[in-house]
Amino acid sequence: SGPAPSLLIVEGGRNDWATCQDGQFVTASDGVIDHAVDRYLDTLQTFLPKSTRIIVLGPPWGPRDPQNQQRVTSIIAAQAKRHGIQFISTRGALTADRVIDGVHPNRKGSLAIARRVIAALDPR
């Protein structure tokens, strides 16, 4: 295997708040999301060397469905804190003029997210 990365950015997705059961979209409970994020971050910290800086990027969320945005983001942020991992919020980055379909970022939206990440990586 090659050298370990010096930086790993993990981004949650807005699809992480639901599951598909028997062809139906089913909202995942807070406990299910919390457990999944906890296990994932545990796995990263177990298998990556301590020299790898891990950053958790809050799920980029357009203007649709603000209730689940707040719910999912707060769970992810709390788990990042619990694991001692830096969390970068994307809240408000994807405004109506920065998304294609109310959900997915356009060029302006992608740039807004990139600026947040760059600002958090460069502590000036």
Side-chain angles (χ1 to χ4, degrees):
S1 71
S6 59
L7 173 68
L8 178 70
I9 298 175
V10 177
E11 177 186 280
R14 66 176 285 128
N15 295 338
D16 296 340
W17 65 273
T19 60
C20 183
Q21 295 177 6
D22 299 322
Q24 301 295 314
F25 204 55
V26 178
T27 300
S29 69
D30 289 2
V32 166
I33 296 168
D34 186 66
H35 179 73
V37 175
D38 182 37
R39 293 271 322 264
Y40 187 72
L41 296 179
D42 276 348
T43 300
L44 291 178
Q45 288 182 315
T46 298
F47 291 101
L48 288 170
K50 300 283 183 223
S51 60
T52 297
R53 180 180 176 189
I54 302 170
I55 293 176
V56 175
L57 182 62
W61 214 286
R64 288 190 191 166
D65 196 17
Q67 295 82 12
N68 275 309
Q69 185 265 348
Q70 177 59 38
R71 180 174 80 94
V72 173
T73 301
S74 65
I75 293 168
I76 294 170
Q79 277 296 342
K81 183 176 182 178
R82 181 179 168 275
H83 286 267
I85 297 173
Q86 181 182 359
F87 176 82
I88 301 172
S89 172
T90 60
R91 187 172 187 162
L94 296 183
T95 55
D97 66 325
R98 293 179 181 165
V99 291
I100 296 169
D101 52 5
V103 176
H104 298 95
N106 60 20
R107 187 172 193 285
K108 285 182 182 178
S110 294
L111 287 171
I113 293 167
R115 285 186 188 104
R116 295 228 181 155
V117 173
I118 291 165
L121 291 176
D122 187 16
R124 288 185 198 191

